[in-house]
Amino acid sequence: MLIDGVKFKEILDKRQLRLTGQRKALYQSLAGHNQPVSLKRLASSLSGHMDQVTVYRNVDLFESIGVINKVYTGWKYRIELSEQFRPHHHHMTCVNCGKIITISLGNRMEKAMESFGEKHGFKITGHQIELSGLCKSCLRV
Amino acid sequence: MLIDGVKFKEILDKRQLRLTGQRKALYQSLAGHNQPVSLKRLASSLSGHMDQVTVYRNVDLFESIGVINKVYTGWKYRIELSEQFRPHHHHMTCVNCGKIITISLGNRMEKAMESFGEKHGFKITGHQIELSGLCKSCLRV
DNA sequence: AACCTATTGCAAAAATTTTGCAATAAATTT
DNA sequence: AAATTTATTGCAAAATTTTTGCAATAGGTT
């Protein structure tokens, strides 16, 4: 596992949440994916380790403590580890084959988003940017 | 109704889809909202005019023919008329009170998104940009 | 090892979305 | 204007997804 498991434990500890076997399994499964996963896939990949209800409850929990982000690619949301564990990035999804590419927009554009909010009196705390289009191979066909 | 109803009819005609009372009602309800609506609210605002199943079916249809866009603000998606009926824009949502503000990012940034895709071999056909943060009033409290 | 209580699994409810089919009503033709 | 054609609707019911209550289990502490 490339992704820091110590930080995960710290985040739980700080709030007196327990590091259970199920939470470890969930975290590791997320760390093992290098693309956002749907809750359905996540749950089925973990079946045997834990009940589906526990997946739901912990996904909610993980979101509330900032361990994961929900990403909307296409019709449904998917889940990935947050920026505490991975560099900030965005996605580009092929509308034809569903391929997801991870991209980073660069500092200038990221900053621009924040100052954009300020112009309208907002203090920006996060943003979602999802591009969709046709990937190289689907363009050819 | 400020929003072009003729174009709506044309879009249906072109595909030999029928302009039913229910579709008119749905379109008008969408035209009457100046913010994205959840499917739930949409359905309940139309109850009496049409069955919930019909709302689902027509929302699907409207999406497939480009009449509406699905927008992800917060946890769930919401629906709004597409760029065929309204100027292209994005949203900024207050994470505290849920207020949604419509914003436009300006040509430079819009273009930048497209060329970003090209760099990675994608032909960009659309994008979602959703900012979240705290609005003026929620910052004060 | 005993204790405290957060967390889990199970069963079941609630909410959301999809499906099949007969009845209805747009649009076209006569 | 009536008849015709067939896309569309409403209803009932199934399927799927998400939430809830509670007793049993198992982290973490003393």
Side-chain angles (χ1 to χ4, degrees):
Chain A
M1 170 171 52
L2 288 167
I3 289 177
D4 188 1
V6 176
K7 186 185 277 179
F8 175 57
K9 179 160 172 27
E10 282 173 4
I11 292 174
L12 292 174
D13 278 352
K14 198 184 309 176
R15 310 182 193 233
Q16 290 162 276
L17 295 166
R18 293 179 180 172
L19 180 62
T20 65
Q22 289 87 334
R23 284 175 186 164
K24 271 188 233 171
L26 184 51
Y27 174 78
Q28 289 190 344
S29 172
L30 286 165
H33 286 86
N34 52 2
Q35 283 192 352
V37 222
S38 67
L39 203 144
K40 199 172 177 179
R41 279 194 63 180
L42 197 59
S44 77
S45 84
L46 287 165
S47 78
H49 294 277
M50 61 202 294
D51 194 276
Q52 177 149 330
V53 173
T54 305
V55 178
Y56 274 98
R57 285 198 269 230
N58 278 319
V59 163
D60 273 3
L61 178 75
F62 282 14
E63 209 207 8
S64 73
I65 61 177
V67 168
I68 61 168
N69 283 149
K70 285 177 176 167
V71 178
Y72 301 93
T73 55
W75 185 232
K76 301 260 177 185
Y77 68 82
R78 290 159 189 261
I79 296 156
E80 65 180 3
L81 288 183
S82 76
E83 293 154 30
Q84 301 203 54
F85 300 96
R86 298 223 163 128
H88 179 72
H89 63 271
H90 297 283
H91 304 99
M92 188 153 68
T93 308
C94 177
V95 292
N96 188 236
C97 69
K99 192 199 300 182
I100 300 175
I101 286 183
T102 295
I103 54 179
S104 70
L105 290 180
N107 231 267
R108 186 175 319 158
M109 222 180 284
E110 297 289 348
K111 289 278 179 204
M113 294 296 158
E114 281 177 35
S115 57
F116 215 90
E118 282 165 25
K119 254 195 285 182
H120 296 263
F122 265 63
K123 172 71 192 157
I124 296 298
T125 57
H127 62 246
Q128 285 250 354
I129 299 179
E130 296 294 321
L131 306 182
S132 49
L134 285 163
C135 74
K136 216 179 284 186
S137 6
C138 289
L139 265 174
R140 254 190 268 127
V141 184
Chain B
M1 170 173 53
L2 288 167
I3 289 178
D4 187 2
V6 176
K7 186 186 276 180
F8 176 56
K9 180 160 173 25
E10 282 173 1
I11 292 175
L12 292 173
D13 278 352
K14 197 184 311 176
R15 310 182 194 233
Q16 290 162 276
L17 295 166
R18 293 179 181 171
L19 180 61
T20 65
Q22 289 86 336
R23 283 176 186 162
K24 271 189 235 170
L26 184 52
Y27 174 78
Q28 288 188 344
S29 172
L30 287 164
H33 286 85
N34 53 1
Q35 283 192 352
V37 221
S38 67
L39 203 144
K40 199 173 177 178
R41 280 195 62 181
L42 196 59
S44 78
S45 83
L46 286 165
S47 77
H49 294 277
M50 61 202 292
D51 193 276
Q52 178 149 328
V53 173
T54 305
V55 178
Y56 274 98
R57 285 198 269 230
N58 279 319
V59 163
D60 273 2
L61 178 74
F62 282 14
E63 208 208 8
S64 72
I65 62 177
V67 169
I68 62 169
N69 283 149
K70 286 176 176 167
V71 178
Y72 300 94
T73 55
W75 185 234
K76 301 260 179 185
Y77 69 81
R78 289 159 189 261
I79 297 157
E80 67 181 0
L81 287 183
S82 75
E83 294 154 30
Q84 300 204 54
F85 301 96
R86 298 221 164 130
H88 179 73
H89 62 270
H90 297 283
H91 304 98
M92 189 152 69
T93 307
C94 177
V95 293
N96 188 235
C97 68
K99 192 199 301 182
I100 300 175
I101 285 184
T102 295
I103 54 178
S104 69
L105 290 180
N107 230 268
R108 187 176 318 159
M109 221 181 285
E110 297 289 348
K111 289 279 179 200
M113 293 296 158
E114 282 178 33
S115 57
F116 215 90
E118 281 165 25
K119 254 196 283 182
H120 296 262
F122 265 62
K123 172 71 193 160
I124 297 299
T125 56
H127 60 246
Q128 286 249 354
I129 299 178
E130 296 294 322
L131 307 182
S132 49
L134 285 163
C135 74
K136 217 179 284 186
S137 7
C138 289
L139 265 175
R140 255 189 269 126
V141 185

